[in-house]
Amino acid sequence: MSQFPDSSPPVFAERNYLNTPATGLKSWLTTLDHKRIGVMFLITTLIFFAVGGLFAMLIRIELLTPGPTIMDAMSYNRMFTLHGVVMIFLFMIPAIPSGFGNFLLPIMVGAKDVAFPRLNLLSFYVYLLGALIALGGMIYGGADTGWTFYTPYSTTTTTKVVPILLGAFILGFSSILTGLNFIVTVHTLRAPGITWNKLPLFVWSIYGTSVIQILATPVLGMTLLLVAIEHAFGWGIFDPARGGDPVLFQHFFWFYSHPAVYIMILPAMAVISEVVCAFSRKNIFGYKAVAYSSLGIAFVGFFTWGHHLFTSGQSAFNAGVFGVLSMFVGIFTAIKVFNWVATMYKGSISFKTPFVYFIGFLFFLFFGGMTGVALATVSLDIHWQDTYFVVAHFHFIMVGSTIMAFLAALHYWWPKITGRMYNERWGLVGATLVVSGFVFTFLPQFLLGNEGMPRRYFNYPERFQALNVASTAGASVLGIGFLVILVYILVSLKYGPVAGPNPWGSRGYEWLTPSPPPLENFDELPAFERGPHEYHDLPGVEAVAPGAGSSHA
Amino acid sequence: MSDHTAAPATTAHTHAGRYLVVWAALTALTALTWGLSTIHIPGFGGVAVALAIATVKGTLVALFFMHLWDQPGPNRLVLITSLVFVALLVTLPLLDNATRFPLANPPDAETAPQRIRDAILNDAPPPAHP
């Protein structure tokens, strides 16, 4: 197969993973094909994203006015707990690694599948089981603790915490199994020619994510289990009234949950590293720096959890140590940002939809990151702790960046996954709505937090109403943006033009195979002579997205 | 579907003799641990020696019975990284616990629990803070 299939005519691959070995529901539910499992993860996580988004809209509508608007205080407490649990455990943690990672990683390393295909399918069903148990708990009565389950409240509340804890505990196993599969796949199934230094940057970041998943998730499982035991049997572990230590819970919880931020953001960075090269028509600037900084973030991310405990009774000495250590993450993140920007420099940039999401990602990462550095300073954090400033910060850095990258990935790899192109014009409309909606939702929350509005409160003084209305208006724009995307993406499944193997003219290894890929990924294994981000010898940079009026400014 | 072309071969079958030697070493170290337990070593020395022997034994098991000796660098790195993170999880919360109260409480706080306990045992009201 040619290393440069850019000029191939747009042909829909006749025999592909969508129709091989069969097309029935049973063949999907029992499949061992990593691509189908990836697609099933994508569909499921998107459904949960819609559910979490619905909760978010209800929260924003409630906050339109001080006092009750559409629900009472207890319903509000349950609503933000559901929103957090669904968005974090059911969407953001699994979406990119389990969805796109499953689909792409084996193709990117030239393998036919992941190392343990059965374990891969088990991972999906464990995820479903955990999700159903957690959702069952929510429907059965819900919890009012917030997604952080802080003790001693979570061990004494009368709401249904245990099923949700159990669900999150089970979800952790899915995360571990996926991470384990990816690590073994990268170590053992790389095709001849794909050395460590020729691995796509997407694979490097997913690898770093997998390390975190394996190392940190068991700690969360153990911690949630201890909370469930204390809640169910009254053992004194974290409750000071029973001789426990509530700060110890926070240590354990954030030992996982802060690195979990990197479980969400590293895959996002993985996507961005691919997108920036493809749409700048430039070799990645500083391949090794970008690759190793993923591992650096994964490593240093474990040393920072204590900045969540600055006002929780942690010792002043530890607060100082964690404050300093937290700054180090900024170094590795900055390495990536500088390299992405340098990659764009003098590139032949094409403002296609994935690239617009990349720009949005860069903005949210930078703005969210800088406010994060400010929050890691103990004296400032004491002012902002538990205010909307923190809510806005983590929605920018964690949610904004991740969703931008997720949408960039969805649009960039949509032709590979489905074999069809979406409508580029509507893609740009959707991207504009989502990016601007996100900014207008959370920018007012920075101001609200700075003025002292605490998070997780049902009520607020009237002077905060104008900014809350602005935030809800932004959320409405955001919601409309997502609906637009949903419509044109679904329409493209039937009416979208055939994409061909490489509509973007990308150098990534996944574009060397037909779209949609065949069952075992490659009809004939390529030689993988070039790196996956090498554009320097590309003659006449010209993208060939059908119907997109392609040109590179 | 997973029987794909492998990257570098990582498994090297070892001879049974190696396992016998390691087993003998582990047995000898166990005997040494028992032997040292019969000798009085003052202070922290006894614990330090026992921990050192246990570390050597654990290392032997990881290297030979868990095949890390035959693995390439990255696979060994995975184990070492895991150990570092376990140490991290234990050390920093302990550091918090060790530094939390002396820095947060007044100078007489360390003796307060004893004074309160004494007061309860003596059936007297707890002492007021000076």
Side-chain angles (χ1 to χ4, degrees):
Chain A
M1 177 175 290
S2 165
Q3 179 85 1
F4 309 104
D6 304 12
S7 57
S8 304
V11 174
F12 194 91
E14 286 298 322
R15 287 187 61 77
N16 57 64
Y17 79 99
L18 294 169
N19 58 26
T20 315
T23 55
L25 183 64
K26 187 184 170 191
S27 76
W28 276 81
L29 295 178
T30 57
T31 185
L32 298 182
D33 182 3
H34 66 97
K35 297 182 288 300
R36 284 189 170 196
I37 294 171
V39 170
M40 290 197 293
F41 261 118
L42 274 178
I43 293 170
T44 319
T45 51
L46 277 172
I47 290 170
F48 287 125
F49 178 64
V51 172
L54 181 68
F55 292 144
M57 276 313 298
L58 292 173
I59 290 169
R60 283 311 325 161
I61 293 169
E62 169 50 42
L63 290 173
L64 264 177
T65 64
T69 308
I70 56 168
M71 62 183 88
D72 60 20
M74 181 53 104
S75 304
Y76 179 80
N77 289 352
R78 286 176 173 153
M79 200 60 72
F80 71 66
T81 303
L82 298 185
H83 168 68
V85 169
V86 169
M87 282 301 201
I88 288 176
F89 292 113
L90 302 183
F91 172 68
M92 287 209 298
I93 288 178
I96 297 181
S98 298
F100 291 109
N102 250 319
F103 192 97
L104 294 163
L105 185 137
I107 304 178
M108 285 181 168
V109 300
K112 291 178 182 175
D113 207 313
V114 291
F116 309 114
R118 284 183 176 78
L119 211 59
N120 204 18
L121 184 62
L122 177 69
S123 171
F124 176 70
Y125 283 113
V126 168
Y127 167 78
L128 267 191
L129 178 70
L132 290 176
I133 290 176
L135 283 176
M138 294 171 193
I139 295 165
Y140 181 48
D144 61 347
T145 58
W147 77 276
T148 48
F149 306 112
Y150 269 13
T151 57
Y153 184 67
S154 61
T155 57
T156 51
T157 176
T158 53
T159 54
K160 307 297 178 192
V161 177
V162 173
I164 299 175
L165 289 173
L166 186 63
F169 177 74
I170 292 171
L171 286 167
F173 283 97
S174 169
S175 202
I176 293 168
L177 293 178
T178 300
L180 183 73
N181 226 334
F182 287 168
I183 286 180
V184 178
T185 303
V186 173
H187 275 264
T188 62
L189 293 185
R190 281 176 287 119
I194 302 184
T195 59
W196 282 95
N197 284 335
K198 278 172 74 178
L199 276 182
L201 288 166
F202 181 87
V203 176
W204 271 108
S205 283
I206 294 289
Y207 183 88
T209 309
S210 303
V211 171
I212 305 175
Q213 283 176 314
I214 290 181
L215 289 174
T217 313
V219 179
L220 176 76
M222 174 196 78
T223 309
L224 296 183
L225 203 60
L226 289 173
V227 173
I229 288 171
E230 186 169 284
H231 190 90
F233 303 113
W235 295 2
I237 302 167
F238 301 121
D239 184 357
R242 301 168 190 163
D245 181 357
V247 182
L248 182 66
F249 169 83
Q250 295 189 28
H251 275 298
F252 285 173
F253 181 82
W254 288 111
F255 184 85
Y256 165 80
S257 294
H258 192 75
V261 171
Y262 306 111
I263 292 180
M264 300 171 216
I265 201 74
L266 270 177
M269 291 171 165
V271 172
I272 292 308
S273 296
E274 300 293 329
V275 168
V276 70
C277 292
F279 292 92
S280 300
R281 285 294 187 276
K282 275 277 301 289
N283 291 9
I284 186 76
F285 186 90
Y287 171 88
K288 285 186 179 174
V290 177
Y292 297 159
S293 61
S294 295
L295 300 184
I297 290 172
F299 185 74
V300 174
F302 274 94
F303 291 79
T304 66
W305 82 83
H307 65 231
H308 294 271
L309 282 68
F310 284 163
T311 62
S312 298
Q314 177 184 231
S315 76
F317 178 78
N318 253 40
V321 169
F322 277 118
V324 172
L325 288 173
S326 297
M327 304 291 177
F328 282 91
V329 179
I331 296 172
F332 293 105
T333 309
I335 287 172
K336 283 185 181 291
V337 172
F338 286 135
N339 280 287
W340 291 326
V341 173
T343 302
M344 284 194 289
Y345 178 64
K346 287 190 175 177
S348 180
I349 291 173
S350 168
F351 273 91
K352 295 285 185 285
T353 308
F355 193 82
V356 175
Y357 284 117
F358 159 68
I359 297 294
F361 170 89
L362 216 53
F363 172 73
F364 290 122
L365 185 79
F366 186 76
F367 204 124
M370 292 311 291
T371 53
V373 170
L375 276 166
T377 310
V378 182
S379 53
L380 292 172
D381 184 79
I382 288 170
H383 174 66
W384 285 321
Q385 175 80 28
D386 276 339
T387 70
Y388 263 85
F389 192 92
V390 176
V391 175
H393 154 70
F394 74 71
H395 275 89
F396 257 56
I397 187 80
M398 202 171 85
V399 185
S401 304
T402 304
I403 288 180
M404 292 304 124
F406 180 85
L407 291 172
L410 191 69
H411 289 82
Y412 179 52
W413 284 301
W414 186 256
K416 181 55 60 186
I417 294 170
T418 65
R420 293 188 180 276
M421 293 300 296
Y422 59 89
N423 184 297
E424 182 63 31
R425 194 180 300 270
W426 279 107
L428 291 173
V429 170
T432 308
L433 286 171
V434 167
V435 174
S436 56
F438 207 92
V439 171
F440 287 119
T441 304
F442 294 103
L443 210 54
Q445 295 185 15
F446 277 113
L447 304 175
L448 281 168
N450 200 43
E451 289 181 23
M453 179 168 165
R455 64 191 287 199
R456 292 177 172 171
Y457 272 66
F458 165 73
N459 203 353
Y460 56 83
E462 280 191 12
R463 65 191 169 93
F464 291 142
Q465 190 175 6
L467 286 170
N468 270 297
V469 170
S471 180
T472 303
S476 307
V477 174
L478 188 57
I480 292 168
F482 285 127
L483 285 177
V484 167
I485 295 170
L486 179 71
V487 171
Y488 71 72
I489 281 283
L490 290 178
V491 167
S492 77
L493 280 176
K494 190 169 173 64
Y495 301 105
V498 171
N502 190 3
W504 308 119
S506 171
R507 288 301 182 89
Y509 296 150
E510 73 276 23
W511 300 100
L512 296 174
T513 189
S515 304
L519 178 64
E520 294 191 334
N521 294 340
F522 295 95
D523 293 325
E524 183 187 336
L525 198 63
F528 301 112
E529 289 162 350
R530 293 172 189 278
H533 309 290
E534 290 183 12
Y535 289 85
H536 58 278
D537 57 349
L538 195 64
V541 232
E542 188 75 25
V544 285
S550 55
S551 67
H552 293 279
Chain B
M1 291 172 71
S2 60
D3 55 343
H4 206 331
T5 314
T10 54
T11 311
H13 293 289
T14 51
H15 300 294
R18 180 195 281 182
Y19 295 121
L20 285 173
V21 172
V22 175
W23 174 78
L26 289 172
T27 310
L29 286 169
T30 306
L32 182 63
T33 309
W34 175 80
L36 286 173
S37 71
T38 62
I39 304 168
H40 176 68
I41 302 175
F44 188 67
V47 177
V49 171
L51 280 175
I53 294 172
T55 305
V56 172
K57 286 164 71 180
T59 307
L60 286 173
V61 169
L63 285 178
F64 297 105
F65 289 154
M66 294 171 73
H67 301 283
L68 274 180
W69 186 262
D70 302 315
Q71 294 294 308
N75 288 6
R76 294 183 198 175
L77 198 64
V78 169
L79 181 86
I80 293 166
T81 310
S82 309
L83 294 177
V84 168
F85 283 115
V86 170
L88 186 68
L89 175 63
V90 173
T91 308
L92 283 173
L94 279 179
L95 185 67
D96 171 31
N97 220 302
T99 56
R100 197 187 299 170
F101 296 114
L103 287 174
N105 285 357
D108 65 333
E110 286 176 21
T111 58
Q114 186 62 44
R115 284 186 283 117
I116 292 168
R117 195 176 302 121
D118 292 346
I120 292 170
L121 289 175
N122 297 330
D123 205 18
H129 193 278

